[in-house]
Amino acid sequence: KIMKMCVILLWSFVGVFLLGKVSCERAKTILLLGDSLINRPYRDYDLAGKIDAQIQSNHTFSYINAGNNGNTILDIRNRLTDVLSSNEINENDYVILFWDSDCSNVDEATLSPEEVIQVRASFNENLEAVVTQILSSTKYLAVAGPELLGEGVVCPSRIHKNDMLDDYRVFTQTITEAHQLNYIDMRQAFLDAVPSNWLFCSGVVTVDGEHPNERGTIIEANLFAKQINAWYEDQLKMQ
């Protein structure tokens, strides 16, 4: 009887310990950081919800929408400390940085060559600072953007900023990969989804030439989910 009671007490302590461990374990956080490409809390365009539907895990993730409409990379830099600290982002969390790479906010055609050089240098400096600061909190970061400003090849907004979009995609990809991070080429994914004979500015993957419709959101979610699935597999290997 004494032995049986000891066994019962031992398992009781083990149960209490495990229960406390489980209850104290913080859900892994996926922080979505950017501009209006992130901040779209509508059911059909719910990026976090569509990402979660593609996650190949039974783990429950905590999603944080840290998108602010109209944000440039400088705006993101200025609020980054507060975003990371208030959400307690740590080394086990995942951050997605996704915005239009400032392309909808800047019209280089109206600038002098000297001003263009200055604007681009500032963009690269601010993006480098944002990436570096995020990596001080977690090494898990994926970067995406820009996408489109107009779908069809004859759409005025696409013609006007097509070269700029391609240039800023290169800037963003170069800085991202210099840190050995994953750059997700959303622009190419969206261009591939638009038929070559499409003449309209929106309707295939966007609602207005820039912001994704449901189909576009699914494309985004699938690409982000691939990265998150790989990240979570790494997390399991570390346990």
Side-chain angles (χ1 to χ4, degrees):
K1 287 184 177 180
I2 295 176
M3 179 64 70
K4 186 176 180 179
M5 289 179 64
C6 289
V7 171
I8 292 173
L9 286 172
L10 176 62
W11 278 110
S12 297
F13 283 121
V14 170
V16 169
F17 172 76
L18 291 176
L19 181 61
K21 186 175 181 181
V22 170
S23 63
C24 292
E25 183 180 1
R26 173 181 173 276
K28 296 184 186 302
T29 295
I30 298 174
L31 175 69
L32 304 172
L33 176 65
D35 60 3
S36 57
L37 295 181
I38 290 289
N39 189 30
R40 308 194 70 223
Y42 313 105
R43 185 182 66 180
D44 291 342
Y45 315 137
D46 177 15
L47 181 57
K50 285 181 166 49
I51 290 174
D52 197 59
Q54 299 296 324
I55 298 297
Q56 299 171 358
S57 166
N58 293 325
H59 184 84
T60 299
F61 295 97
S62 174
Y63 292 87
I64 297 173
N65 182 333
N68 275 4
N69 296 352
N71 264 196
T72 64
I73 192 63
L74 177 59
D75 296 322
I76 294 170
R77 180 181 182 180
N78 288 338
R79 66 186 177 91
L80 185 57
T81 297
D82 180 62
V83 170
L84 294 175
S85 61
S86 63
N87 294 297
E88 300 180 345
I89 300 302
N90 63 42
E91 61 184 5
N92 295 316
D93 296 327
Y94 197 97
V95 177
I96 291 172
L97 174 61
F98 180 34
W99 83 119
D100 72 352
S101 298
D102 292 14
C103 290
S104 66
N105 303 86
V106 176
D107 187 357
E108 291 187 346
T110 65
L111 305 177
S112 68
E114 293 77 16
E115 288 172 327
V116 169
I117 292 173
Q118 183 178 0
V119 165
R120 292 185 172 203
S122 178
F123 174 85
N124 285 313
E125 177 189 348
N126 287 319
L127 178 55
E128 175 68 33
V130 166
V131 169
T132 300
Q133 185 173 353
I134 293 172
L135 292 178
S136 69
S137 295
T138 177
K139 63 181 179 179
Y140 300 107
L141 168 64
V143 182
E147 286 182 332
L148 302 179
L149 289 174
E151 293 182 4
V153 293
V154 297
C155 179
S157 59
R158 175 170 172 177
I159 295 172
H160 184 62
K161 288 194 172 181
N162 206 49
D163 291 341
M164 181 182 174
L165 285 160
D166 284 336
D167 288 346
Y168 278 70
R169 169 172 56 178
V170 172
F171 301 154
T172 305
Q173 182 174 5
T174 299
I175 290 175
T176 301
E177 294 181 348
H179 287 272
Q180 299 182 328
L181 298 169
N182 294 314
Y183 174 73
I184 301 173
D185 195 346
M186 287 294 182
R187 176 162 170 75
Q188 192 59 54
F190 271 44
L191 288 171
D192 290 345
V194 176
S196 59
N197 62 348
W198 185 251
L199 302 179
F200 303 98
C201 291
S202 61
V204 179
V205 290
T206 72
V207 295
D208 56 6
E210 177 182 2
H211 299 94
N213 58 18
E214 184 173 16
R215 182 183 179 190
T217 306
I218 290 172
I219 291 173
E220 294 170 350
N222 287 342
L223 292 174
F224 285 133
K226 287 180 182 179
Q227 301 297 328
I228 295 170
N229 284 327
W231 157 67
Y232 190 62
E233 287 179 9
D234 287 344
Q235 292 282 294
L236 292 177
K237 292 176 184 177
M238 295 168 59
Q239 293 180 357

